[in-house]
Amino acid sequence: MSTQNLTIDLGLIAMKNIPRTRNPFRFNSPILLLSASLIFTACQANEEIRGEESAVLTHAPAVPASIERDYPTKVIVELETTERVGRLADGVEYTFWTFGGEVPGKFIRVREGDLVEFHLNNRPDSKMPHNIDLHAVTGPGGGAASSFTAPGKGTIFSFTALNPGLFIYHCATAPVGMHIANGMYGLILVEPKEGFPPVDREYYVMQSEFYTGGAYGEGGLQPFDMGKALLETPDYVVFNGSVGSLTGDNAIVANVGETVRLFVGNAGPNLVSSFHVIGEIFDIVYVEGGTVANQKNVQSTVIPAGGSAIVEFRVDVPGTFLLVDHSIFRAFNKGALGMLTVHGEQQPEIYSGLQEEQVYLPEGGGIQEIQGEEMPVPVLSGAEKIEEGGRLYSQNCAACHQPEGQGIAGAFPPLAGSDYLLADSQRAIGIVVNGLSGPIVVNGETYNGVMPGVLLSDSDIANILTFVLNSFGNEDGEIFAEDVARVRAQRH
Ligand SMILES: [Cu+2]
């Protein structure tokens, strides 16, 4: 970096007056600015590597502590490649190839100007050789050319972290796509000299795809499917290496009023991510993982395959906020779903919560309010219920379960001849009222999708289910509005 560039960089920082950590200067006038940059440039020339330390690496979603040093040092990074069977989803296993034993690989954090001595060790029980291409490296193959490591061997190479930013690293051993598809990727953050503004929480989130022999949710140890990888049709799109790695008890957390910084990578191998947090707005985005906080107030940010983004936001209200790839079938049907749980007091002036529930029927149907008596529901004969139910079925269910109830293999279970439905038609009421997710077996096939609860009246749901039980070759059965009311009451 030339002296001139440095002056401009500093000037920009001063003009915007962005608070920076560890920046010893406050610039208030052009003269001060000039002298300060001269001093800085002088220090710059002397930025000699001092001392030596071992990098502390973390598994996702943890991030190593920010760097307090204001000088470059020699950093020793030790990373081990492994091949091992692990959980991809409930009941689904996969042979992951890893950097550091988990997918994604361990998070590496160094400072701009550091001399990184990289030790790559391949476990003796590995079957494959591996290497590493760090996008933070200026040099052939990003280090891959110097790090080809056979099972039971170790290699060492060094690089100076010239450019700050958030970078992907990945294995680049042939077939490259397969090594990446099997889990060989992670993030390395090269902190700019002046550091990042302080925040309360930092997390590591990595999106990637898995291409398995079986469809989404199909149990057992799943092999890699090269054909699907070539077609770019993954069965799984996940955060941090598996379905559910960031949900429920594994959710990342924050308290109301705190600032959160997410270091988000997209390892691909094929898809571009439209990263979004439902119910939050990114106050700041460092687009593509560069070091300029160059966009504000962003809903979704595009993260290329082999790229990254840094997003920051303050959490203002409590609740669960979903991290998704807004290519939304990936989120709700392929696994690209995480959770941020925010604890704290309700903030009704920012978000009220539900204030009132009303029944709404569009113009012509008349507006009905829930007060006093409910409108009487006409009593229908069995045949009328089935007819009315058929109409409602085509509007509310056929899109997924198909017009003849035959379902779609691997995605939507059949209602025609469904042993699951016919075994317990009362259970079906709960499914329609509350929705259903998690693995179920219908006629010997496992389904693991998400069915949203349906917002219909008790009698409408009774009519639909009565229709279903008397159609598509199903023998018979009748569901009453009172049955639905009972199931609804159990929910509360
Ligand atoms: Cu590899």
Side-chain angles (χ1 to χ4, degrees), residues 135 166-168 186-187 204-209 237-239 262-277 282 285-290 298-312 323-327 330:
H135 292 181
L166 180 63
F167 299 95
I168 291 272
L187 286 178
Y204 169 18
V205 178
M206 178 74 94
Q207 179 170 328
S208 63
E209 303 120 44
V237 182
V238 297
F239 295 129
L262 302 180
F263 294 109
V264 191
N266 180 14
N270 288 314
L271 303 182
V272 169
S273 172
S274 302
F275 186 70
H276 177 78
V277 176
F282 304 143
V285 179
Y286 296 73
V287 173
E288 294 170 359
V298 171
Q299 58 196 303
S300 302
T301 191
V302 173
I303 311 180
S308 70
I310 305 172
V311 303
E312 295 177 5
L323 282 58
V324 297
D325 178 340
H326 215 296
S327 289
R330 299 178 191 165

Side-chain angles (χ1 to χ4, degrees), residues 81 83 97 99 128-131 170-173 176 178-180 184:
T81 55
E83 299 164 11
W97 299 354
F99 285 108
M128 299 285 162
H130 300 292
N131 63 10
H170 61 85
C171 184
T173 303
V176 178
M178 185 175 174
H179 283 252
I180 297 177
M184 302 200 75

Side-chain angles (χ1 to χ4, degrees), residues 251-473:
I252 53 177
V253 295
N255 297 318
V256 166
E258 288 184 332
T259 46
V260 178
R261 176 180 292 134
L262 302 180
F263 294 109
V264 191
N266 180 14
N270 288 314
L271 303 182
V272 169
S273 172
S274 302
F275 186 70
H276 177 78
V277 176
I278 299 177
E280 264 301 339
I281 295 150
F282 304 143
D283 298 329
I284 294 173
V285 179
Y286 296 73
V287 173
E288 294 170 359
T291 46
V292 181
N294 52 345
Q295 189 53 284
K296 290 183 175 176
N297 305 317
V298 171
Q299 58 196 303
S300 302
T301 191
V302 173
I303 311 180
S308 70
I310 305 172
V311 303
E312 295 177 5
F313 50 93
R314 197 185 115 102
V315 288
D316 296 298
V317 299
T320 298
F321 298 83
L322 297 181
L323 282 58
V324 297
D325 178 340
H326 215 296
S327 289
I328 208 73
F329 282 95
R330 299 178 191 165
F332 291 105
N333 303 79
K334 296 188 170 186
L337 189 79
M339 289 179 185
L340 164 67
T341 306
V342 178
H343 300 285
E345 298 282 308
Q346 293 293 339
Q347 306 292 325
E349 72 292 353
I350 297 177
Y351 183 74
S352 72
L354 178 66
Q355 292 178 305
E356 201 181 329
E357 193 174 35
Q358 294 175 325
V359 173
Y360 168 74
L361 293 175
E363 291 266 349
I367 308 282
Q368 195 189 9
E369 287 188 1
I370 306 184
Q371 15 160 280
E373 313 267 289
E374 275 206 47
M375 293 235 306
V377 179
V379 180
L380 303 180
S381 71
E384 286 168 330
K385 278 179 82 169
I386 293 172
E387 194 188 326
E388 175 66 3
R391 199 180 55 76
L392 291 165
Y393 176 87
S394 61
Q395 289 169 358
N396 294 285
C397 321
C400 298
H401 292 287
Q402 301 302 294
E404 295 306 317
Q406 72 272 31
I408 294 181
F412 303 114
L415 301 180
S418 158
D419 57 358
Y420 184 90
L421 166 66
L422 300 174
D424 185 350
S425 56
Q426 293 292 315
R427 173 176 62 188
I429 300 172
I431 294 173
V432 177
V433 170
N434 303 319
L436 183 67
S437 62
I440 58 167
V441 179
V442 181
N443 298 344
E445 296 290 322
T446 300
Y447 292 86
N448 194 357
V450 178
M451 170 167 157
V454 177
L455 289 172
L456 288 173
S457 71
D458 294 353
S459 55
D460 284 350
I461 290 175
N463 294 347
I464 292 181
L465 286 172
T466 302
F467 162 78
V468 168
L469 292 172
N470 291 275
S471 310
F472 318 139

